[in-house]
């Protein structure tokens, strides 16, 4: 079976929103958005408010948002208002990475897509740019737990540009960078020489590359596309200064949250949502405001990059 035949088969599973279908037909810039951040990354009702706000930010930049989720055996590319509400309020949504996607589809369950599964869906739907908060990566202590996010493998294989605020600082950032390099993923900090660390603008680690404008990123993507079987590109866009929580302050919260996860024996795909939730409590909600600000910032940059690819 050729890869184009496979893509044809997947297309039957995709359901586009009216707005996304029209944008594809008119060749307008599109930005994919994940849904795990809505269901597992933020509490209701801020999750749904943020999802709508981020979509509005993308439209304001002249692009069209496509929030991706799994519903009734279909890959939804663009969510209508009532579907977004249903997803944000449901309590039994599966967190779906590559390993979970087909299970959620074959059983018809509600599924929220992680960075990995959103990349798969975006690519199948013909979208090239995707905005998120922070990617998954190599967890601290991975040499014992083997906990490495499938997001890294997806970046290696699927040609989508992921605009993030770096890897979540609860991860082992140097190991995450090593894996990305091994897998051939370009990592580009935006407007800074240093790799941002999600809630903080600084990580203490120099980024492999740095670019300063959407057009420079567009030029890189255009070259990368010419190579067959090229994978994704990771853009690391620092959170705006006004919204950051400095690294020196975050470290204590992160360590405490990871210790709590270990004590309560939280494992596998539950680790990331648990640690994010604990940090939210420890910062009395401040980490959520930072998280919202950085996702909005990434969405705006992603829209400008998508416009370069038209
Ligand atoms: N960034 C956030 N909130 C999140 C996530 C990222 O601000 O909820 C999600 C993304 O969907 C990412 C996932 O792909 O966490 C990584 O989970 P894991 O480490 O289990 O692969
Ligand atoms: Mn994991």
């Amino acid at each position: 079976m050729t890869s184009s035949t496979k893509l044809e088969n997947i297309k039957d599973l995709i359901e586009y929103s009216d707005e996304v279908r029209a944008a594809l037909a008119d060749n307008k810039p599109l930005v994919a958005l994940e849904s795990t951040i809505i269901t597992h990354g933020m509490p209701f009702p801020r999750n749904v408010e943020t999802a709508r706000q981020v979509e509005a930010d993308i439209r304001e930049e002249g692009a069209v948002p496509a929030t991706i989720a799994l519903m009734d055996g279909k890959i939804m590319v663009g969510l209508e208002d009532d579907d977004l509400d249903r997803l944000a309020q449901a309590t039994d949504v599966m967190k779906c990475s590559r390993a979970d996607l087909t299970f959620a589809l074959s059983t018809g369950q509600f599924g929220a897509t992680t960075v990995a599964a959103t990349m798969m869906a975006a690519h199948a739907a013909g979208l090239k740019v995707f905005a998120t908060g922070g990617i998954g990566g190599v967890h601290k202590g991975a040499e014992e737990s083997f906990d490495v996010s499938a997001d890294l493998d997806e970046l290696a294989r699927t040609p989508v540009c992921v605009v993030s605020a770096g890897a979540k600082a609860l991860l082992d950032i140097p190991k995450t960078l090593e894996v990305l390099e091994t897998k051939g993923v370009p990592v580009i900090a935006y407007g800074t020489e240093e790799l941002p660390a999600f809630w903080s603008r600084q990580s203490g680690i120099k980024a492999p590359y740095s670019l300063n404008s959407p057009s420079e990123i567009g030029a890189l993507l255009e070259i990368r596309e010419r190579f067959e079987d090229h994978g994704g590109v990771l853009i690391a866009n620092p959170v705006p200064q006004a919204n950051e929580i400095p690294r020196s302050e975050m470290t204590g919260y992160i360590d405490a949250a990871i210790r709590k996860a270990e004590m309560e024996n939280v494992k596998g795909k539950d680790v990331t949502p648990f640690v994010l939730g604990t940090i939210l409590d420890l910062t009395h909600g401040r980490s959520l405001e930072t998280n919202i600000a950085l996702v909005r910032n990434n969405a705006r940059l992603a829209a400008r990059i998508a416009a370069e690819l038209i």
Side-chain angles (χ1 to χ4, degrees):
M1 193 187 275
T2 66
S3 62
S4 61
T5 324
K6 279 196 214 153
L7 204 59
E8 279 314 305
N9 293 344
I10 295 170
K11 284 204 163 130
D12 288 347
L13 296 173
I14 298 178
E15 201 150 303
Y16 295 99
S17 67
D18 292 342
E19 187 188 16
V20 170
R21 190 182 298 107
L24 281 166
D26 298 344
N27 197 29
K28 283 203 186 140
L30 279 138
V31 176
L33 296 164
E34 64 155 303
S35 42
T36 295
I37 199 171
I38 303 173
T39 55
H40 292 72
M42 293 181 191
F44 180 82
R46 295 304 300 279
N47 60 350
V48 62
E49 289 163 15
T50 303
R52 291 224 163 82
Q53 181 64 63
V54 167
E55 292 195 342
D57 291 330
I58 289 170
R59 289 190 192 101
E60 216 178 279
E61 295 287 343
V64 173
T67 303
I68 292 177
L70 312 175
M71 286 182 175
D72 307 323
K74 295 277 183 201
I75 303 172
M76 313 297 284
V77 178
L79 287 185
E80 307 292 357
D81 261 358
D82 52 336
D83 284 336
L84 186 61
D85 275 330
R86 278 205 297 157
L87 187 77
Q89 295 194 54
T91 50
D92 54 350
V93 185
M94 277 178 71
K95 174 182 161 187
C96 293
S97 189
R98 174 172 274 268
D100 317 290
L101 179 89
T102 45
F103 185 90
L105 288 173
S106 70
T107 57
Q109 293 184 59
F110 256 11
T113 51
T114 63
V115 168
T118 306
M119 287 180 78
M120 290 171 74
H123 179 52
L127 275 57
K128 294 178 176 176
V129 184
F130 159 27
T132 183
I135 63 157
V138 181
H139 282 257
K140 290 182 176 157
E143 57 276 29
E144 284 289 322
S145 67
F146 275 48
D147 191 353
V148 178
S149 175
D151 292 353
L152 301 183
D153 265 320
E154 207 60 45
L155 277 162
R157 72 203 287 178
T158 303
V160 170
C161 173
V162 179
V163 182
S164 70
K168 277 174 297 234
L170 54 103
L171 301 167
D172 187 322
I173 295 180
K175 286 198 181 77
T176 300
L177 264 189
E178 285 296 341
V179 172
L180 286 168
E181 188 201 35
T182 303
K183 290 180 183 291
V185 180
V187 177
I188 294 151
Y190 185 69
T192 168
E193 298 281 318
E194 187 167 343
L195 200 74
F198 199 70
W199 299 281
S200 319
R201 291 174 63 82
Q202 265 136 23
S203 63
I205 297 158
K206 192 178 182 310
Y209 297 106
S210 151
L211 290 174
N212 298 310
S213 68
S215 71
E216 287 172 329
I217 295 171
L220 180 137
L221 294 174
E222 199 269 324
I223 299 283
R224 190 142 167 93
E225 261 181 27
R226 299 185 201 207
F227 289 84
E228 214 168 316
D229 294 332
H230 69 96
V233 168
L234 180 64
I235 307 296
N237 184 28
V239 62
Q241 199 133 28
N243 307 103
E244 85 158 331
I245 306 178
R247 191 171 148 234
S248 52
E249 202 183 328
M250 266 326 287
T251 310
Y253 301 132
I254 293 167
D255 291 348
I258 292 174
R259 266 201 309 279
K260 187 158 191 265
E262 281 166 5
M263 260 152 48
E264 296 185 22
N265 208 21
V266 180
K267 293 265 188 283
K269 58 197 262 192
D270 297 331
V271 172
T272 300
F274 181 91
V275 173
L276 288 175
T278 306
I279 291 173
L280 180 87
D281 293 340
L282 293 174
T283 60
H284 305 289
R286 198 167 144 219
S287 67
L288 179 61
E289 302 312 317
T290 302
N291 200 340
I292 292 169
L294 67 86
V295 176
R296 294 186 61 187
N297 192 44
N298 294 343
R300 286 183 181 276
L301 176 59
R304 293 171 61 203
I305 295 169
E308 294 291 332
L309 304 180
I310 294 301

